[in-house]
Amino acid sequence: MGARDISFASFNLLNLQLPGAAIYGDTDGWDFDIFARKINFTRDVLLRQDADVIGLQELWAADALDQALVAGGLEGEYTALIPPGHNGKSIVCAALVRNGMLVDEPEWIRDFPDEYVLKSGGDDPQQDFIEVNLSTFSRPVLHFKVQPDPRTPVIHVFVCHFKSRRPTQFWRESWYEKDVHGPHLSALGYAISTVRRTAEAAALRVLVTNLAKKTDTPVVVIGDMNDGKDSNTLNILSEQPTYLSPLSTGGGDNSLYTAQTMQEYRSVRDVYYTHVFKGNRESLDHIMFSQEFYDNSKRRIWAFDEMVVENDHLNYHDHKESGTNDHGVIRVGFKWKPADGASV
């Protein structure tokens, strides 16, 4: 790999917590044998992916991640980005950055930006007033900057973990009435989760736009977004750019392109999936990037090389015993290849 090339990966750790420590309502957590398997699995994935930047989700304990790094002999290769003072009582977004690439200090963004507003009287006289009073991300979004080489621009990276599609369990709420709402737990719970995930996508989109619009700032978004590439969640986040024909050039000013779509253009068929639920193979984990990484962009700086998906372990439903995780791991590589006239 050339000095100015760069690679990114997304890795959901499936509750990487120290043995015996609580994981949500499970006060016993992982036993020592299963924890050892999780460390071995995590170590092997990190070694195989060998990415420069690895976005992590579902990290509970920093010490557990340290053990995986030591097990792979990687403790001297990466800088771990973990919230200062994190006490292991909740899951966080984190990252591993190859030593020498990190620029400045990372930040974890909990509050939605000021420009985020979701309320409207509607654009149709038949519509009622709507207002969504959410102001924080379910899991704070990690934002940091990297520079693979002094001769390259600085890249802004976001690592996110949006609200799951699992129906929100609201039956403990004070307003809940079993006889009234009980028959509709599933429908209402799914709707609440969808609203929350949609709001988080809109808030992150505002952050990306503030960086990328009318600039040449490279941006990469990594995460477990809990939705497919054609979902409303990703449509909001990507701004639905046009993927141009091979002989065309252009690019969206502040759009985000998906690695999945770029790889599909090069594949005989689509074999991309990162999650299995009730036998349905779907893509919930994504790496998205601004036009500075898009092949057909006039402002291209890095060219898409290849996306690799590690998902064989998803064919087995033994994650709580084998130490594997319930999401696929994705890796995307980019080659330094500025377009003629690009700002570098």
Side-chain angles (χ1 to χ4, degrees):
M1 188 179 80
R4 286 179 281 188
D5 300 342
I6 191 165
S7 55
F8 302 89
S10 184
F11 185 6
N12 184 312
L13 298 165
L14 183 56
N15 296 321
L16 186 59
Q17 174 67 294
L18 293 172
I23 301 172
Y24 298 119
D26 179 2
T27 56
D28 294 331
W30 302 113
D31 70 28
F32 282 88
D33 288 341
I34 295 174
F35 174 75
R37 295 173 202 150
K38 284 188 70 65
I39 292 299
N40 290 339
F41 174 77
T42 303
R43 171 203 64 198
D44 292 345
V45 168
L46 295 176
L47 288 169
R48 281 192 296 268
Q49 296 301 314
D50 190 30
D52 297 315
V53 177
I54 305 173
L56 304 171
Q57 305 89 35
E58 294 197 23
L59 175 66
W60 288 80
D63 288 347
L65 179 60
D66 287 342
Q67 290 187 40
L69 291 171
V70 170
L74 297 170
E75 67 273 24
E77 294 290 325
Y78 288 101
T79 299
L81 307 186
I82 299 166
H86 177 59
N87 59 12
K89 302 297 184 181
S90 62
I91 57 173
V92 294
C93 292
L96 296 172
V97 178
R98 199 175 300 280
N99 286 343
M101 288 192 179
L102 184 66
V103 177
D104 298 331
E105 293 295 319
E107 62 174 339
W108 280 262
I109 304 170
R110 179 170 180 79
D111 295 333
F112 287 176
D114 292 339
E115 300 93 332
Y116 162 91
V117 178
L118 286 187
K119 62 180 179 179
S120 171
D123 53 6
D124 185 314
Q126 293 178 293
Q127 294 175 340
D128 199 359
F129 182 80
I130 185 173
E131 183 172 4
V132 179
N133 291 315
L134 286 175
S135 60
T136 61
F137 291 100
S138 301
R139 296 101 179 180
V141 171
L142 168 57
H143 170 233
F144 58 97
K145 295 178 285 186
V146 296
Q147 188 177 28
D149 186 273
R151 297 166 292 177
T152 74
V154 171
I155 303 165
H156 285 256
V157 181
F158 293 91
V159 179
C160 64
H161 186 185
F162 291 161
K163 177 68 181 76
S164 73
R165 292 193 294 182
R166 177 178 59 83
T168 298
Q169 298 181 18
F170 59 81
W171 52 270
R172 300 183 185 89
E173 306 284 344
S174 60
W175 57 266
Y176 173 75
E177 297 180 32
K178 184 175 181 180
D179 293 341
V180 176
H181 306 110
H184 314 293
L185 278 172
S186 180
L188 297 177
Y190 277 121
I192 292 169
S193 295
T194 299
V195 169
R196 189 176 295 278
R197 189 169 57 256
T198 300
E200 291 178 329
L204 182 51
R205 162 38 65 184
V206 171
L207 294 174
V208 171
T209 296
N210 286 342
L211 273 175
K213 194 171 184 65
K214 296 183 180 179
T215 74
D216 293 318
T217 303
V219 177
V220 174
V221 178
I222 300 170
D224 174 2
M225 298 169 193
N226 274 308
D227 240 331
K229 74 175 179 66
D230 297 318
S231 66
N232 194 49
T233 302
L234 263 73
N235 285 343
I236 292 169
L237 196 51
S238 70
E239 292 210 334
Q240 304 178 68
T242 299
Y243 287 83
L244 302 170
S245 63
L247 298 180
S248 299
T249 57
D253 177 28
N254 64 321
S255 297
L256 295 176
Y257 299 83
T258 68
Q260 179 178 354
T261 300
M262 296 296 292
Q263 186 64 34
E264 285 172 353
Y265 283 151
R266 301 184 180 190
S267 302
V268 175
R269 60 191 179 96
D270 178 13
V271 293
Y272 178 105
Y273 64 91
T274 69
H275 192 255
V276 179
F277 180 68
K278 293 185 177 180
N280 181 36
R281 287 161 171 76
E282 52 191 347
S283 308
L284 304 184
D285 306 83
H286 303 275
I287 297 176
M288 309 175 72
F289 40 87
S290 60
Q291 64 175 338
E292 287 74 23
F293 298 89
Y294 176 49
D295 287 0
N296 294 65
S297 172
K298 293 178 180 178
R299 290 180 169 82
R300 184 194 71 224
I301 300 174
W302 288 272
F304 179 83
D305 184 29
E306 186 180 27
M307 181 187 73
V308 176
V309 183
E310 183 171 340
N311 57 14
D312 283 350
H313 58 277
L314 300 182
N315 295 310
Y316 306 94
H317 302 286
D318 63 349
H319 310 301
K320 292 185 178 180
E321 292 79 35
S322 66
T324 58
N325 65 342
D326 60 348
H327 281 249
V329 183
I330 54 178
R331 181 189 189 277
V332 180
F334 295 93
K335 296 289 188 183
W336 174 259
K337 193 176 181 181
D340 292 341
S343 177
V344 293

